[in-house]
Amino acid sequence: MQGVPAVSDVWRDVRARLRQEYGDVIYVSEIARLRVAEDSNGSIQIICANDFGRAWVEDNLGARLRALWTTFDTGPRDIVICCEGVPAARAGVREDRRVPASAAAPVRPAASAALAPAREALASSASSAALGGPERASRSDGRFTFNTFMVGSANAMASTAAKAIAGASAPPFNPAFFHGGYGVGKTHLLNAIAHSVSLGESGRKVLYLTAEEFLNGFQSALRARDVQPFKDQVRTCDVLLIDDVHFIAGKPSTESEFLHTIAALIAENRQVVLASHCAPAELGVGDERLRSLLRGGFACELFGPDLDLRRKIVDCKVAQARTHCPDLDVPEQVRDFLAARVTSSARELEGVLNNVIVRTAYMERPVTIEAVEEVLGDLPVKAEKRVTVDEIQKAVAAYFSITPSDINSKRRTQSVVRPRHIAMYLAKTMTTRSLPDIGRRFGGRDHSTVIHAVTKITAQLGADPLLAEDIEAIRKRLRG
């Protein structure tokens, strides 16, 4: 008699068939991230990262997935689709209904509408489950902590403010509003705050939501004519974090509820932290009261990472990748090359690095600059304008109303020393010149002088917001 195949073998075959039927786009974005486990009763749990994913998988893949499992598994099984960290009995999933192995081939979901059923599924349960129940309150992405948030001049002020919020027993400023382009670290910071607060001993209740979750939850509560569970969930936490708040703008009823929620929390001395790709004054909100409330808090912009910060990010991502690929070796020159070439955001930098690792280490090939160039040739990656030390000296001199010859002189007055140190710091972080070469271009100085300047500016960045603003302003001039 043939034995029952291992769960991992069945799952491998099921995933391979789903990839064949649904295509690589759906497979990579939705199927590849699923996990499978067997509980003590022999039931199979298909585990999704969150409730959005669970609802999407159930609606779009559930029937076909169960049919395929029956095809490859000789033993009868219950197939339960559930969320990470939520026991299957409480996950709100459907009861298993056996589907014959001959079930019709699936209708491939349109990529543009792939998430619509998931949004509807979450919204439909919001009035009774209040945005996912108590488990939702403390759930944040464990990858995004303060330990993995690399700090540089582009985000030093934001990092300092976020740590102050996470460590305070009462709000140091309210609301806190982080803004900046996509991929600069806003979501990372909000998750880091949630992670830190949830692990603290203060006992504060923290709730992290995307604006879409807030919007869907509120609209579902309105449809059910029962908004109290929704209000109880969002207005009783000690720290409320809402990401991508620009999605709420222009929706009058949701704007009104958003305003009253924030106002109620602030009035009770509870912390509100928001994030958006645009500043409070640039949000297209129609309610003047909401606009005034957002402007009255602390707003902090995060900028794209400079060369020094991108290098730190590469080191961090390589260390994280070694948990999956222990033998990974990324030489220093390759790391330098990656940081210099991929400039738009940390997210894009991580994406390029992931492509490099898969095409090299996973294929048992060495990680080389040639491999990086091959990846860059295949991806639409933005390259940073090359900046020279001479251009940096001129930009710094113009910004501080001195001359380049002053920067290269032997003068040691404060009006010259500080710009000189800033220029050396920028030369180190925006060019690939060596320390001795930079020293020579600053009036024949020794490399140790450059090290002293870079170390001093780096140490002051976290505690001096004006210095961070000056450096970012000069960077923008240099980038054109």
Side-chain angles (χ1 to χ4, degrees):
M1 178 178 174
Q2 187 177 2
V4 177
V7 170
S8 59
D9 293 337
V10 176
W11 180 230
R12 183 191 62 233
D13 293 337
V14 169
R15 287 202 312 174
R17 181 68 67 83
L18 288 173
R19 182 171 194 167
Q20 205 174 45
E21 294 177 352
Y22 284 83
D24 287 342
V25 173
I26 295 299
Y27 179 82
V28 171
S29 63
E30 301 297 337
I31 300 170
R33 64 181 65 184
L34 300 176
R35 247 182 357 99
V36 67
E38 182 179 11
D39 66 15
S40 57
N41 298 320
S43 296
I44 299 301
Q45 296 181 6
I46 306 298
I47 303 170
C48 308
N50 51 48
D51 201 40
F52 271 31
R54 183 203 64 76
W56 190 92
V57 170
E58 184 67 76
D59 286 343
N60 292 277
L61 303 177
R64 187 58 181 160
L65 192 156
R66 291 182 173 96
L68 288 173
W69 198 283
T70 303
T71 300
F72 294 112
D73 194 349
T74 58
R77 300 274 197 178
D78 288 333
I79 310 297
V80 181
I81 300 173
C82 57
C83 292
E84 188 79 54
V86 181
R90 293 158 55 202
V93 299
R94 301 172 183 171
E95 289 294 320
D96 176 39
R97 294 180 176 86
R98 283 282 168 188
V99 180
S102 59
V107 177
R108 189 171 299 181
S112 61
L115 292 178
R119 295 191 187 102
E120 186 61 32
L122 180 63
S124 65
S125 64
S127 60
S128 60
L131 296 170
E135 294 87 356
R136 183 67 181 85
S138 60
R139 188 160 72 238
S140 62
D141 195 325
R143 297 172 302 160
F144 300 142
T145 67
F146 286 123
N147 287 337
T148 58
F149 187 80
M150 300 295 102
V151 180
S153 61
N155 58 22
M157 190 191 311
S159 174
T160 300
K163 289 178 180 178
I165 291 168
S169 57
F173 19 77
N174 223 356
F177 196 109
F178 297 103
H179 61 97
Y182 291 107
V184 297
K186 305 182 299 296
T187 296
H188 191 143
L189 270 189
L190 262 61
N191 274 277
I193 294 172
H195 182 265
S196 180
V197 172
S198 65
L199 292 181
E201 299 178 356
S202 63
R204 289 190 295 168
K205 178 183 174 184
V206 59
L207 175 62
Y208 171 89
L209 295 172
T210 64
E212 186 176 25
E213 288 171 330
F214 184 95
L215 174 65
N216 289 344
F218 177 62
Q219 290 181 344
S220 175
L222 287 178
R223 287 194 296 270
R225 298 182 181 180
D226 184 13
V227 298
Q228 197 55 48
F230 175 84
K231 290 184 178 181
D232 289 344
Q233 181 78 354
V234 298
R235 297 191 188 185
T236 58
C237 59
D238 298 298
V239 181
L240 175 65
L241 307 107
I242 301 183
D243 205 354
D244 294 328
V245 296
H246 46 275
F247 286 122
I248 294 174
K251 302 172 178 66
S253 61
T254 308
E255 279 188 15
S256 178
E257 178 60 27
F258 186 58
L259 165 65
H260 292 305
T261 295
I262 295 176
L265 289 169
I266 292 175
E268 295 180 8
N269 206 31
R270 300 171 188 262
Q271 181 71 63
V272 176
V273 185
L274 310 171
S276 171
H277 69 63
C278 54
E282 298 169 357
L283 280 176
V285 296
D287 193 318
E288 182 57 40
R289 297 170 301 169
L290 177 57
R291 189 180 299 110
S292 176
L293 184 64
L294 296 178
R295 288 177 177 175
F298 166 75
C300 181
E301 184 174 6
L302 287 81
F303 300 95
D306 60 21
L307 179 61
D308 186 51
L309 180 53
R310 293 196 301 271
R311 185 61 168 77
K312 292 180 184 178
I313 292 169
V314 170
D315 288 343
C316 178
K317 297 305 178 183
V318 168
Q320 290 177 335
R322 286 203 177 109
T323 62
H324 305 288
C325 187
D327 297 328
L328 177 65
D329 177 29
V330 183
E332 292 294 315
Q333 62 267 31
V334 175
R335 301 185 189 203
D336 291 339
F337 185 74
L338 267 169
R341 286 294 306 275
V342 186
T343 63
S344 60
S345 71
R347 190 172 296 154
E348 185 176 51
L349 181 58
E350 182 178 6
V352 172
L353 179 60
N354 287 338
N355 273 273
V356 170
I357 292 172
V358 170
R359 296 189 192 195
T360 56
Y362 278 65
M363 303 296 290
E364 298 184 352
R365 294 171 51 201
V367 184
T368 63
I369 289 178
E370 289 72 25
V372 176
E373 288 179 324
E374 178 185 329
V375 171
L376 293 175
D378 293 341
L379 299 176
V381 177
K382 177 184 175 183
E384 186 173 67
K385 172 189 172 185
R386 289 188 177 274
V387 177
T388 66
V389 174
D390 183 57
E391 289 171 336
I392 290 172
Q393 291 175 345
K394 289 178 180 177
V396 172
Y399 187 83
F400 289 102
S401 301
I402 58 177
T403 66
S405 60
D406 289 330
I407 290 178
N408 292 325
S409 70
K410 303 298 183 182
R411 291 174 56 192
R412 301 185 60 83
T413 59
Q414 184 61 24
S415 62
V416 172
V417 170
R418 186 176 174 88
R420 181 184 296 140
H421 285 173
I422 290 174
M424 288 180 174
Y425 171 83
L426 291 172
K428 171 64 173 65
T429 58
M430 295 188 73
T431 76
T432 56
R433 295 289 181 183
S434 66
L435 293 173
D437 190 21
I438 292 173
R440 284 193 295 271
R441 292 167 187 268
F442 279 81
R445 287 176 165 82
D446 187 78
H447 74 280
S448 61
T449 304
V450 181
I451 293 174
H452 169 74
V454 172
T455 302
K456 186 172 182 178
I457 294 298
T458 302
Q460 291 174 346
L461 276 173
D464 188 346
L466 292 178
L467 174 62
E469 289 179 10
D470 288 341
I471 289 176
E472 188 55 36
I474 296 169
R475 271 207 190 93
K476 285 183 176 180
R477 291 187 183 186
L478 288 165
R479 289 170 181 160

